[in-house]
Amino acid sequence: MIAEDLGVLVPAVKKLLKKTGWPGMRVLLFAFDGNPHNEHLPYNYESQNEVVYTGTHDNETVAGYFAQKTQKELEFAYRYLEIYERRQIPDALIREAYRSSADIVIISLQDLLGLSNEARMNFPSTIGKNWWFLNRFPWRIIIVPIMRSLYILFMMEMGTGSEI
């Protein structure tokens, strides 16, 4: 069970999470508003009992979201992620998610591939174009090598070997 604790929360929600032990959600797309106390910034996670996402199925892709930001809006993200170009953001957010203290990391395929909003999964409160990306994508050709290389990278970083 994952609690969708996004948006404006009343104290009862935090109390319920603590009582049940359900992990809360942290979304890296929401982290870079310039507020150093933003709960979605990994250094502000209150526990490991979190699920971190680059974005959810209802959001723009990472590349699409940051493509619309001004240089000034990007400055905080660049500093935090230690990067200097917009095109580096999708990979940097994925690294940041895996380096966070969260027990669970969920990355959408679109973000893993650095795709623009043309590959957006869902447009809330609409019908017709939602989830079309799933039907038109050559999953096995692309995803298996990417997942294997990510697994090897993070297992080596953690010092646990690279065997699959």
Side-chain angles (χ1 to χ4, degrees):
M1 183 72 71
I2 299 169
E4 187 172 331
D5 59 339
L6 304 174
V8 179
L9 300 178
V10 295
V13 172
K14 297 270 185 194
K15 187 176 177 182
L16 177 66
L17 288 179
K18 194 171 197 155
K19 180 180 177 181
T20 62
W22 295 338
M25 293 174 65
R26 298 296 165 254
V27 181
L28 291 175
L29 275 187
F30 304 159
F32 299 99
D33 61 1
N35 176 2
H37 305 291
N38 184 310
E39 70 180 350
H40 297 279
L41 282 169
Y43 67 72
N44 290 325
Y45 294 178
E46 293 178 2
S47 77
Q48 292 178 307
N49 192 30
E50 306 281 358
V51 180
V52 63
Y53 301 76
T54 49
T56 74
H57 68 282
D58 283 336
N59 299 123
E60 297 177 71
T61 66
V62 168
Y65 177 82
F66 284 101
Q68 301 173 40
K69 299 297 179 189
T70 66
Q71 200 62 28
K72 182 159 179 54
E73 290 173 310
L74 293 169
E75 287 176 13
F76 180 66
Y78 287 170
R79 281 195 316 273
Y80 187 91
L81 298 169
E82 298 177 334
I83 59 173
Y84 55 90
E85 291 182 353
R86 193 183 313 251
R87 66 178 178 79
Q88 296 173 296
I89 293 175
D91 288 342
L93 282 188
I94 291 167
R95 279 194 312 275
E96 197 62 32
Y98 278 103
R99 288 181 178 152
S100 77
S101 63
D103 284 337
I104 300 171
V105 174
I106 297 177
I107 309 293
S108 74
L109 182 60
Q110 295 89 325
D111 293 340
L112 192 63
L113 298 174
L115 299 176
S116 69
N117 281 339
E118 291 176 0
R120 184 173 175 166
M121 187 67 71
N122 191 45
F123 295 84
S125 301
T126 65
I127 56 174
K129 291 182 86 178
N130 293 324
W131 304 91
W132 68 268
F133 182 75
L134 291 173
N135 298 325
R136 297 180 44 203
F137 193 78
W139 294 97
R140 290 184 183 170
I141 296 170
I142 295 174
I143 195 65
V144 172
I146 290 171
M147 295 307 293
R148 179 171 284 135
S149 66
L150 281 174
Y151 174 82
I152 291 169
L153 172 71
F154 288 105
M155 289 300 105
M156 288 171 42
E157 210 173 87
M158 292 172 34
T160 59
S162 62
E163 320 250 324
I164 296 182

